[in-house]
Amino acid sequence: MKIQTQTMTQKEIRINFTEYSSFDEMQPSDRELVAEAIAAMGNAYAPYSHFHVGAAVRMSNSQIVRGSNQENAAFPSGLCAERTAMFAAGAKYPDKDMQSIAIAGGVHGRLSEHPATPCGACRQVMAQYQTKAGKPMSVIMVGARKIWKFDRVDDILPFIFDSI
Ligand code: THU
């Protein structure tokens, strides 16, 4: 039997993303999606956390679907803005692809300075709609001072579970 030595290697993952310091730097379609996500914050129902989140999904037919976080006294029954938007989009346009999602949030509806970063469960749902589409879905995280754009969900969820 051959004994293997020195097979262990250190690996590294690099994530590329774009940081914008003003809305004007973005391409018009992204700017529009960001504006929709910020507007969607106004529809949040967040009587417990007071953290208002808005999301907007751009479909392959150019339609935009908004979502906002909806809380519930039975806490696990509430839902994040991103999943509210994606599930609404999937229900409304089952044959279309989700091309991009923008997310904005802030305490008491005031847009936070730091970009709104989606929770793990929402990233997993994004991943599956991206797989369903068969093409990259971009993710735009909006803050008042800076905006981050990731070109594909893989960049915010390495080692995506998609094996079923
Ligand atoms: N929330 C979202 O809507 N999206 C996220 O990515 C993180 C958290 C909501 C859930 C809850 O209503 C509130 O923000 C505080 O966690």
Side-chain angles (χ1 to χ4, degrees), residues 8 16 19 28 34 39 41 46 53 70 72 78 83-85 97 103 107 112 117 128 132 134-135 152-153 156:
M8 188 177 77
N16 289 304
E19 182 175 280
V34 166
M41 287 169 63
V53 186
Q70 301 294 318
N72 191 276
R83 273 176 288 166
T84 304
D97 297 335
I103 308 132
V107 179
S112 62
T117 53
Q128 188 148 343
K132 180 174 178 255
K135 25 180 126 83
R152 54 190 61 78
V153 180
I156 58 165

Side-chain angles (χ1 to χ4, degrees), residues 75-161:
F75 280 7
S77 303
L79 197 62
C80 293
E82 298 91 319
R83 273 176 288 166
T84 304
M86 287 186 282
F87 292 153
K92 193 167 183 191
Y93 302 112
D95 303 325
K96 304 297 175 206
D97 297 335
M98 296 186 202
Q99 295 182 330
S100 187
I101 183 168
I103 308 132
V107 179
H108 290 292
R110 188 169 174 274
L111 184 63
S112 62
E113 304 218 327
H114 197 72
T117 53
C119 80
C122 288
R123 293 175 197 214
Q124 184 65 40
V125 172
M126 288 173 199
Q128 188 148 343
Y129 282 120
Q130 178 179 261
T131 301
K132 180 174 178 255
K135 25 180 126 83
M137 174 177 171
S138 60
V139 183
I140 303 170
M141 304 180 192
V142 186
R145 283 186 174 271
K146 57 189 173 197
I147 298 154
W148 292 335
K149 180 176 180 180
F150 300 79
D151 289 336
R152 54 190 61 78
V153 180
D154 315 54
D155 292 334
I156 58 165
L157 188 62
F159 306 109
I160 286 172
F161 172 72

